[in-house]
Amino acid sequence: MSALDRIKKMLKGHEDQAGKGIDKAGDMVDDRTQGKYSRQVDTGQDKLKDQLGADRDQQDGPPRS
């Protein structure tokens, strides 16, 4: 089992908290680099959220009836 699989297993059911943590970490990097790498940080945040399923709720949109 890879490290990413273990992380996914630990975060199961806590995707919203993981997304908040990813956003907070990205904001910290932006602050420390004075926004110099903000595009790269944003891309990294998006890819990490995709891998962990952290933004699954936002992508699904409202429930369909």
Side-chain angles (χ1 to χ4, degrees):
M1 179 181 284
S2 72
L4 186 59
D5 290 334
R6 290 180 187 165
I7 292 170
K8 286 181 185 180
K9 187 177 179 181
M10 286 190 311
L11 294 176
K12 184 88 169 163
H14 302 285
E15 291 86 2
D16 56 337
Q17 291 176 341
K20 289 177 186 177
I22 292 167
D23 288 337
K24 192 171 185 178
D27 292 343
M28 184 186 70
V29 171
D30 281 338
D31 287 342
R32 293 205 176 190
T33 61
Q34 298 173 350
K36 186 175 181 180
Y37 303 104
S38 63
R39 268 192 270 152
Q40 290 87 347
V41 171
D42 290 342
T43 301
Q45 286 174 311
D46 292 340
K47 288 184 179 188
L48 187 56
K49 285 180 182 181
D50 286 343
Q51 283 288 319
L52 298 177
D55 62 347
R56 187 175 306 149
D57 295 333
Q58 289 116 10
Q59 287 181 356
D60 289 344
R64 296 179 186 174
S65 41

